[in-house]
Amino acid sequence: MINLYSWGQWVGWTLLYVLMALIISNRPVFVETELLYAAVLIGATGLGSHGLRLFFRNQLAQSSLTKQTVTLIAGAVVIAAFATLMLLIVVFLLSALGYGYPIPPDQRWFVIKSIGQGNFFNMLMVMLLWSALYFSMIKVRQLRQTTALLHATQLDALINQLNPHFLFNAINNIRALILEDPERARTMLATLSDMLRYNLNSEQGIKVALHQELEIVHAYIALCSIQFEHRLQYVEQIDEDCNNALIPKLLIQLCVENAIKHGISRLTQGGEIRIRALVQHGEISIQISNPGLLQSTTQNSTGVGLKNIRQRLQLLYMGAASLWLEQQQDKVVAEIRLPLETVK
């Protein structure tokens, strides 16, 4: 089955040729050879556009937005020049073979300029339009993929948080608090409700301000503290200029869940989760550290959450963001680097 791209290529370039053929055939002086020239020009440009697409997919899919844009523009120039060159070669070849108008030696440069300039400019405009359409389609598809992946990540987060074991512990802990500390029990129920609302709210968008994400992290820490009590300590070091920075929704929350599940919960004495955020060289750096061993934290289901995070970062930032895990003495540190964007 022909895919959408192939269908669009054939239809688009065919329609362009038909349009040029109509313009040529309606001229006061009509020469049939010009239909062949038009076919060469359009065919070479269409072939070049396909080559540009292959290069984009193989070499630029993970590049920055600026590099992709500059490369597409440069590619449009190269392809327009290539198509014009192919046209000139055919014109001179047919002339030499006697199928076209003879070109005297002293008129060759005039022919090159008269044919080359106009056709180069026309094909350049066509390729720039093609590049804009192709680029727009790529970005729309990536946005759809990102949205779908966010939904999958939200479901993954809910499964991790609201699996039967988590619910059993959370509800039991809150129930125990009802007699011991009714006020705190009510607070914890409200906290659980806030977490559900945040995770299920599709109107917030793909990215949220850092301070919004940290609020839900506080809620999650508060719920976990019912179970772990003094075994769970939490520390934040957030630079003031980071509070309004935009980050992917659920990014830090998933990392904190990972730190508790595969770090704190496995240690008898518990430990401290520390979040550090600062701006460096136009990027926001976020570090989440917890006691434990990296080998332990990368087993079982942990890799699913980290894989989802990395996929979202790739789709959202096209290689300009990263997530790293490393062992620092007796701690596991996750470092996330994102291009700095702020709430408008």
Side-chain angles (χ1 to χ4, degrees):
M1 181 180 293
I2 299 179
N3 59 31
L4 181 61
Y5 165 77
S6 299
W7 183 86
Q9 281 283 89
W10 281 108
V11 172
W13 293 112
T14 300
L15 287 177
L16 180 60
Y17 175 75
V18 171
L19 177 62
M20 289 190 67
L22 289 174
I23 294 174
I24 292 171
S25 60
N26 286 316
R27 288 176 180 174
V29 179
F30 171 66
V31 180
E32 292 182 353
T33 312
E34 292 186 4
L35 295 176
L36 174 61
Y37 295 156
V40 171
L41 187 65
I42 298 299
T45 307
L47 182 63
S49 70
H50 183 65
L52 182 59
R53 173 184 181 259
L54 293 177
F55 180 80
F56 186 97
R57 294 182 64 184
N58 295 330
Q59 303 295 329
L60 298 176
Q62 299 182 358
S63 299
S64 65
L65 181 64
T66 301
K67 185 176 180 180
Q68 290 178 341
T69 304
V70 171
T71 303
L72 283 176
I73 294 175
V77 174
V78 171
I79 292 170
F82 167 75
T84 304
L85 177 61
M86 292 296 100
L87 173 61
L88 289 171
I89 290 175
V90 172
V91 169
F92 278 89
L93 181 62
L94 292 182
S95 175
L97 295 175
Y99 294 100
Y101 289 113
I103 303 175
D106 59 339
Q107 295 294 314
R108 290 174 181 172
W109 182 243
F110 172 79
V111 172
I112 291 174
K113 289 197 299 183
S114 60
I115 294 178
Q117 289 179 350
N119 287 291
F120 171 80
F121 179 79
N122 291 336
M123 291 303 100
L124 177 59
M125 294 298 101
V126 170
M127 276 306 303
L128 288 176
L129 176 60
W130 181 94
S131 298
L133 291 173
Y134 179 74
F135 195 68
S136 299
M137 291 173 63
I138 288 294
K139 294 307 171 185
V140 168
R141 184 175 65 183
Q142 289 176 347
L143 179 59
R144 290 176 178 173
Q145 291 174 340
T146 302
T147 303
L149 187 58
L150 174 61
H151 293 161
T153 304
Q154 288 175 323
L155 291 174
D156 182 67
L158 284 174
I159 290 171
N160 287 333
Q161 292 171 4
L162 302 179
N163 57 47
H165 179 71
F166 176 86
L167 278 177
F168 179 79
N169 286 337
I171 294 174
N172 270 347
N173 290 333
I174 293 173
R175 184 179 63 178
L177 283 176
I178 292 177
L179 296 178
E180 179 182 336
D181 191 342
E183 186 63 29
R184 188 184 178 195
R186 286 193 293 269
T187 301
M188 290 300 101
L189 284 174
T191 298
L192 184 59
S193 174
D194 290 339
M195 291 186 65
L196 289 172
R197 186 179 301 109
Y198 179 82
N199 287 338
L200 295 173
N201 186 0
S202 60
E203 297 179 357
Q204 286 181 317
I206 296 173
K207 299 176 183 177
V208 296
L210 178 64
H211 67 85
Q212 290 178 281
E213 180 80 0
L214 289 177
E215 288 177 3
I216 211 63
V217 170
H218 298 163
Y220 183 71
I221 292 291
L223 281 173
C224 291
S225 295
I226 300 176
Q227 177 183 354
F228 294 102
E229 297 181 336
H230 64 278
R231 293 174 57 205
L232 174 59
Q233 292 90 46
Y234 176 74
V235 178
E236 278 184 10
Q237 292 177 291
I238 310 297
D239 286 4
E240 186 176 350
D241 51 358
C242 293
N243 285 321
N244 289 323
L246 288 173
I247 66 170
K249 185 178 178 181
L250 301 176
L251 182 68
I252 299 180
Q253 183 184 346
L254 283 172
C255 290
V256 170
E257 289 179 15
N258 183 70
I260 292 178
K261 182 177 180 180
H262 299 278
I264 302 298
S265 66
R266 297 185 178 185
L267 300 173
T268 304
Q269 73 279 14
E272 177 185 89
I273 292 179
R274 181 180 294 268
I275 296 180
R276 177 82 169 95
L278 68 157
V279 174
Q280 294 179 326
H281 310 297
E283 293 184 326
I284 178 171
S285 172
I286 305 171
Q287 294 182 348
I288 300 98
S289 64
N290 62 273
L293 297 176
L294 184 57
Q295 183 177 2
S296 299
T297 61
T298 55
Q299 295 175 348
N300 302 328
S301 62
T302 306
V304 176
L306 295 179
K307 181 180 179 181
N308 283 341
I309 291 174
R310 287 193 171 101
Q311 287 177 338
R312 281 198 295 152
L313 292 180
Q314 176 58 40
L315 289 170
L316 284 170
Y317 300 101
M318 300 302 297
S322 60
L323 166 63
W324 296 95
L325 279 178
E326 64 176 352
Q327 186 78 45
Q328 294 183 2
Q329 297 180 351
D330 61 343
K331 295 183 181 298
V332 175
V333 178
E335 181 175 9
I336 303 164
R337 287 187 172 270
L338 310 171
L340 181 61
E341 301 175 87
T342 56
V343 178
K344 297 180 180 179

PDB file of all heavy atoms in Angstrom, residues 44-67:
ATOM      1  N   ALA A  44      13.865  16.174 -11.661  1.00  0.00           N
ATOM      2  CA  ALA A  44      15.099  16.318 -10.882  1.00  0.00           C
ATOM      3  C   ALA A  44      14.809  16.941  -9.513  1.00  0.00           C
ATOM      4  O   ALA A  44      15.392  16.539  -8.491  1.00  0.00           O
ATOM      5  CB  ALA A  44      16.099  17.174 -11.650  1.00  0.00           C
ATOM      6  N   THR A  45      13.909  17.899  -9.474  1.00  0.00           N
ATOM      7  CA  THR A  45      13.562  18.530  -8.197  1.00  0.00           C
ATOM      8  C   THR A  45      12.851  17.551  -7.282  1.00  0.00           C
ATOM      9  O   THR A  45      13.131  17.468  -6.085  1.00  0.00           O
ATOM     10  CB  THR A  45      12.670  19.764  -8.433  1.00  0.00           C
ATOM     11  OG1 THR A  45      13.305  20.636  -9.369  1.00  0.00           O
ATOM     12  CG2 THR A  45      12.438  20.511  -7.129  1.00  0.00           C
ATOM     13  N   GLY A  46      11.903  16.785  -7.850  1.00  0.00           N
ATOM     14  CA  GLY A  46      11.202  15.780  -7.051  1.00  0.00           C
ATOM     15  C   GLY A  46      12.139  14.719  -6.521  1.00  0.00           C
ATOM     16  O   GLY A  46      12.038  14.309  -5.352  1.00  0.00           O
ATOM     17  N   LEU A  47      13.079  14.272  -7.365  1.00  0.00           N
ATOM     18  CA  LEU A  47      14.072  13.285  -6.912  1.00  0.00           C
ATOM     19  C   LEU A  47      14.936  13.862  -5.801  1.00  0.00           C
ATOM     20  O   LEU A  47      15.231  13.190  -4.804  1.00  0.00           O
ATOM     21  CB  LEU A  47      14.933  12.858  -8.099  1.00  0.00           C
ATOM     22  CG  LEU A  47      16.001  11.789  -7.813  1.00  0.00           C
ATOM     23  CD1 LEU A  47      15.344  10.487  -7.372  1.00  0.00           C
ATOM     24  CD2 LEU A  47      16.870  11.572  -9.051  1.00  0.00           C
ATOM     25  N   GLY A  48      15.324  15.123  -5.967  1.00  0.00           N
ATOM     26  CA  GLY A  48      16.130  15.765  -4.923  1.00  0.00           C
ATOM     27  C   GLY A  48      15.379  15.909  -3.613  1.00  0.00           C
ATOM     28  O   GLY A  48      15.955  15.751  -2.529  1.00  0.00           O
ATOM     29  N   SER A  49      14.073  16.189  -3.685  1.00  0.00           N
ATOM     30  CA  SER A  49      13.278  16.328  -2.457  1.00  0.00           C
ATOM     31  C   SER A  49      13.221  15.007  -1.698  1.00  0.00           C
ATOM     32  O   SER A  49      13.257  14.978  -0.466  1.00  0.00           O
ATOM     33  CB  SER A  49      11.869  16.817  -2.786  1.00  0.00           C
ATOM     34  OG  SER A  49      11.113  15.810  -3.457  1.00  0.00           O
ATOM     35  N   HIS A  50      13.131  13.908  -2.445  1.00  0.00           N
ATOM     36  CA  HIS A  50      13.120  12.590  -1.795  1.00  0.00           C
ATOM     37  C   HIS A  50      14.461  12.316  -1.119  1.00  0.00           C
ATOM     38  O   HIS A  50      14.511  11.782  -0.004  1.00  0.00           O
ATOM     39  CB  HIS A  50      12.814  11.504  -2.822  1.00  0.00           C
ATOM     40  CG  HIS A  50      12.722  10.127  -2.230  1.00  0.00           C
ATOM     41  ND1 HIS A  50      11.739   9.761  -1.323  1.00  0.00           N
ATOM     42  CD2 HIS A  50      13.514   9.031  -2.389  1.00  0.00           C
ATOM     43  CE1 HIS A  50      11.924   8.493  -0.956  1.00  0.00           C
ATOM     44  NE2 HIS A  50      12.995   8.035  -1.594  1.00  0.00           N
ATOM     45  N   GLY A  51      15.555  12.684  -1.791  1.00  0.00           N
ATOM     46  CA  GLY A  51      16.870  12.526  -1.174  1.00  0.00           C
ATOM     47  C   GLY A  51      17.020  13.371   0.074  1.00  0.00           C
ATOM     48  O   GLY A  51      17.611  12.931   1.071  1.00  0.00           O
ATOM     49  N   LEU A  52      16.467  14.586   0.049  1.00  0.00           N
ATOM     50  CA  LEU A  52      16.524  15.452   1.223  1.00  0.00           C
ATOM     51  C   LEU A  52      15.748  14.840   2.383  1.00  0.00           C
ATOM     52  O   LEU A  52      16.169  14.918   3.543  1.00  0.00           O
ATOM     53  CB  LEU A  52      15.975  16.839   0.878  1.00  0.00           C
ATOM     54  CG  LEU A  52      16.006  17.891   1.999  1.00  0.00           C
ATOM     55  CD1 LEU A  52      17.427  18.122   2.485  1.00  0.00           C
ATOM     56  CD2 LEU A  52      15.386  19.198   1.510  1.00  0.00           C
ATOM     57  N   ARG A  53      14.615  14.228   2.075  1.00  0.00           N
ATOM     58  CA  ARG A  53      13.833  13.566   3.126  1.00  0.00           C
ATOM     59  C   ARG A  53      14.618  12.421   3.759  1.00  0.00           C
ATOM     60  O   ARG A  53      14.638  12.263   4.984  1.00  0.00           O
ATOM     61  CB  ARG A  53      12.525  13.045   2.555  1.00  0.00           C
ATOM     62  CG  ARG A  53      11.716  12.190   3.540  1.00  0.00           C
ATOM     63  CD  ARG A  53      10.474  11.629   2.877  1.00  0.00           C
ATOM     64  NE  ARG A  53       9.693  10.832   3.814  1.00  0.00           N
ATOM     65  CZ  ARG A  53       9.708   9.504   3.852  1.00  0.00           C
ATOM     66  NH1 ARG A  53      10.486   8.828   3.019  1.00  0.00           N
ATOM     67  NH2 ARG A  53       8.969   8.846   4.718  1.00  0.00           N
ATOM     68  N   LEU A  54      15.262  11.606   2.921  1.00  0.00           N
ATOM     69  CA  LEU A  54      16.053  10.500   3.453  1.00  0.00           C
ATOM     70  C   LEU A  54      17.183  11.009   4.335  1.00  0.00           C
ATOM     71  O   LEU A  54      17.463  10.444   5.397  1.00  0.00           O
ATOM     72  CB  LEU A  54      16.616   9.658   2.302  1.00  0.00           C
ATOM     73  CG  LEU A  54      15.595   8.887   1.459  1.00  0.00           C
ATOM     74  CD1 LEU A  54      16.292   8.158   0.317  1.00  0.00           C
ATOM     75  CD2 LEU A  54      14.811   7.898   2.322  1.00  0.00           C
ATOM     76  N   PHE A  55      17.843  12.072   3.900  1.00  0.00           N
ATOM     77  CA  PHE A  55      18.916  12.659   4.708  1.00  0.00           C
ATOM     78  C   PHE A  55      18.371  13.191   6.025  1.00  0.00           C
ATOM     79  O   PHE A  55      18.987  13.025   7.086  1.00  0.00           O
ATOM     80  CB  PHE A  55      19.591  13.786   3.927  1.00  0.00           C
ATOM     81  CG  PHE A  55      20.704  14.455   4.667  1.00  0.00           C
ATOM     82  CD1 PHE A  55      21.961  13.877   4.733  1.00  0.00           C
ATOM     83  CD2 PHE A  55      20.506  15.658   5.323  1.00  0.00           C
ATOM     84  CE1 PHE A  55      22.993  14.472   5.432  1.00  0.00           C
ATOM     85  CE2 PHE A  55      21.532  16.270   6.021  1.00  0.00           C
ATOM     86  CZ  PHE A  55      22.779  15.674   6.076  1.00  0.00           C
ATOM     87  N   PHE A  56      17.213  13.830   5.983  1.00  0.00           N
ATOM     88  CA  PHE A  56      16.599  14.367   7.198  1.00  0.00           C
ATOM     89  C   PHE A  56      16.306  13.248   8.182  1.00  0.00           C
ATOM     90  O   PHE A  56      16.612  13.350   9.380  1.00  0.00           O
ATOM     91  CB  PHE A  56      15.315  15.118   6.826  1.00  0.00           C
ATOM     92  CG  PHE A  56      14.669  15.836   7.981  1.00  0.00           C
ATOM     93  CD1 PHE A  56      14.893  17.180   8.181  1.00  0.00           C
ATOM     94  CD2 PHE A  56      13.836  15.169   8.868  1.00  0.00           C
ATOM     95  CE1 PHE A  56      14.311  17.852   9.246  1.00  0.00           C
ATOM     96  CE2 PHE A  56      13.252  15.818   9.929  1.00  0.00           C
ATOM     97  CZ  PHE A  56      13.487  17.171  10.110  1.00  0.00           C
ATOM     98  N   ARG A  57      15.713  12.170   7.703  1.00  0.00           N
ATOM     99  CA  ARG A  57      15.326  11.064   8.596  1.00  0.00           C
ATOM    100  C   ARG A  57      16.542  10.359   9.185  1.00  0.00           C
ATOM    101  O   ARG A  57      16.530   9.962  10.345  1.00  0.00           O
ATOM    102  CB  ARG A  57      14.468  10.060   7.837  1.00  0.00           C
ATOM    103  CG  ARG A  57      13.111  10.596   7.402  1.00  0.00           C
ATOM    104  CD  ARG A  57      12.300   9.541   6.693  1.00  0.00           C
ATOM    105  NE  ARG A  57      11.965   8.435   7.568  1.00  0.00           N
ATOM    106  CZ  ARG A  57      11.321   7.340   7.187  1.00  0.00           C
ATOM    107  NH1 ARG A  57      10.960   7.199   5.916  1.00  0.00           N
ATOM    108  NH2 ARG A  57      11.055   6.377   8.038  1.00  0.00           N
ATOM    109  N   ASN A  58      17.599  10.200   8.382  1.00  0.00           N
ATOM    110  CA  ASN A  58      18.757   9.437   8.834  1.00  0.00           C
ATOM    111  C   ASN A  58      19.759  10.252   9.623  1.00  0.00           C
ATOM    112  O   ASN A  58      20.455   9.716  10.492  1.00  0.00           O
ATOM    113  CB  ASN A  58      19.468   8.805   7.622  1.00  0.00           C
ATOM    114  CG  ASN A  58      18.602   7.778   6.917  1.00  0.00           C
ATOM    115  OD1 ASN A  58      17.763   7.127   7.534  1.00  0.00           O
ATOM    116  ND2 ASN A  58      18.780   7.640   5.615  1.00  0.00           N
ATOM    117  N   GLN A  59      19.852  11.557   9.337  1.00  0.00           N
ATOM    118  CA  GLN A  59      20.901  12.365   9.940  1.00  0.00           C
ATOM    119  C   GLN A  59      20.404  13.485  10.851  1.00  0.00           C
ATOM    120  O   GLN A  59      21.146  13.958  11.710  1.00  0.00           O
ATOM    121  CB  GLN A  59      21.775  12.999   8.832  1.00  0.00           C
ATOM    122  CG  GLN A  59      22.390  11.999   7.880  1.00  0.00           C
ATOM    123  CD  GLN A  59      23.389  11.093   8.545  1.00  0.00           C
ATOM    124  OE1 GLN A  59      24.062  11.478   9.502  1.00  0.00           O
ATOM    125  NE2 GLN A  59      23.509   9.858   8.062  1.00  0.00           N
ATOM    126  N   LEU A  60      19.166  13.927  10.667  1.00  0.00           N
ATOM    127  CA  LEU A  60      18.700  15.120  11.380  1.00  0.00           C
ATOM    128  C   LEU A  60      17.540  14.868  12.326  1.00  0.00           C
ATOM    129  O   LEU A  60      17.070  15.797  12.982  1.00  0.00           O
ATOM    130  CB  LEU A  60      18.268  16.200  10.375  1.00  0.00           C
ATOM    131  CG  LEU A  60      19.346  16.731   9.442  1.00  0.00           C
ATOM    132  CD1 LEU A  60      18.740  17.708   8.460  1.00  0.00           C
ATOM    133  CD2 LEU A  60      20.464  17.403  10.226  1.00  0.00           C
ATOM    134  N   ALA A  61      17.068  13.636  12.424  1.00  0.00           N
ATOM    135  CA  ALA A  61      15.884  13.360  13.238  1.00  0.00           C
ATOM    136  C   ALA A  61      16.078  13.754  14.689  1.00  0.00           C
ATOM    137  O   ALA A  61      15.134  14.144  15.378  1.00  0.00           O
ATOM    138  CB  ALA A  61      15.509  11.886  13.133  1.00  0.00           C
ATOM    139  N   GLN A  62      17.316  13.679  15.197  1.00  0.00           N
ATOM    140  CA  GLN A  62      17.583  13.981  16.598  1.00  0.00           C
ATOM    141  C   GLN A  62      18.338  15.296  16.772  1.00  0.00           C
ATOM    142  O   GLN A  62      18.839  15.586  17.861  1.00  0.00           O
ATOM    143  CB  GLN A  62      18.371  12.839  17.241  1.00  0.00           C
ATOM    144  CG  GLN A  62      17.635  11.513  17.228  1.00  0.00           C
ATOM    145  CD  GLN A  62      18.410  10.406  17.902  1.00  0.00           C
ATOM    146  OE1 GLN A  62      19.539  10.600  18.359  1.00  0.00           O
ATOM    147  NE2 GLN A  62      17.812   9.231  17.994  1.00  0.00           N
ATOM    148  N   SER A  63      18.433  16.073  15.712  1.00  0.00           N
ATOM    149  CA  SER A  63      19.163  17.344  15.777  1.00  0.00           C
ATOM    150  C   SER A  63      18.273  18.442  16.337  1.00  0.00           C
ATOM    151  O   SER A  63      17.059  18.280  16.492  1.00  0.00           O
ATOM    152  CB  SER A  63      19.671  17.732  14.381  1.00  0.00           C
ATOM    153  OG  SER A  63      20.550  16.749  13.875  1.00  0.00           O
ATOM    154  N   SER A  64      18.895  19.584  16.617  1.00  0.00           N
ATOM    155  CA  SER A  64      18.151  20.724  17.146  1.00  0.00           C
ATOM    156  C   SER A  64      17.263  21.331  16.072  1.00  0.00           C
ATOM    157  O   SER A  64      17.469  21.115  14.860  1.00  0.00           O
ATOM    158  CB  SER A  64      19.123  21.786  17.670  1.00  0.00           C
ATOM    159  OG  SER A  64      19.890  22.322  16.605  1.00  0.00           O
ATOM    160  N   LEU A  65      16.291  22.123  16.513  1.00  0.00           N
ATOM    161  CA  LEU A  65      15.360  22.763  15.582  1.00  0.00           C
ATOM    162  C   LEU A  65      16.103  23.687  14.623  1.00  0.00           C
ATOM    163  O   LEU A  65      15.805  23.725  13.428  1.00  0.00           O
ATOM    164  CB  LEU A  65      14.304  23.542  16.373  1.00  0.00           C
ATOM    165  CG  LEU A  65      13.224  24.254  15.563  1.00  0.00           C
ATOM    166  CD1 LEU A  65      12.379  23.245  14.813  1.00  0.00           C
ATOM    167  CD2 LEU A  65      12.346  25.099  16.478  1.00  0.00           C
ATOM    168  N   THR A  66      17.099  24.419  15.138  1.00  0.00           N
ATOM    169  CA  THR A  66      17.858  25.347  14.297  1.00  0.00           C
ATOM    170  C   THR A  66      18.614  24.605  13.207  1.00  0.00           C
ATOM    171  O   THR A  66      18.586  24.997  12.032  1.00  0.00           O
ATOM    172  CB  THR A  66      18.845  26.148  15.152  1.00  0.00           C
ATOM    173  OG1 THR A  66      18.128  26.884  16.150  1.00  0.00           O
ATOM    174  CG2 THR A  66      19.644  27.118  14.298  1.00  0.00           C
ATOM    175  N   LYS A  67      19.277  23.532  13.571  1.00  0.00           N
ATOM    176  CA  LYS A  67      20.036  22.760  12.593  1.00  0.00           C
ATOM    177  C   LYS A  67      19.124  22.156  11.545  1.00  0.00           C
ATOM    178  O   LYS A  67      19.463  22.137  10.343  1.00  0.00           O
ATOM    179  CB  LYS A  67      20.824  21.655  13.298  1.00  0.00           C
ATOM    180  CG  LYS A  67      21.739  20.872  12.370  1.00  0.00           C
ATOM    181  CD  LYS A  67      22.566  19.863  13.132  1.00  0.00           C
ATOM    182  CE  LYS A  67      23.492  19.078  12.192  1.00  0.00           C
ATOM    183  NZ  LYS A  67      24.313  18.091  12.928  1.00  0.00           N
TER     184      LYS A  67
END
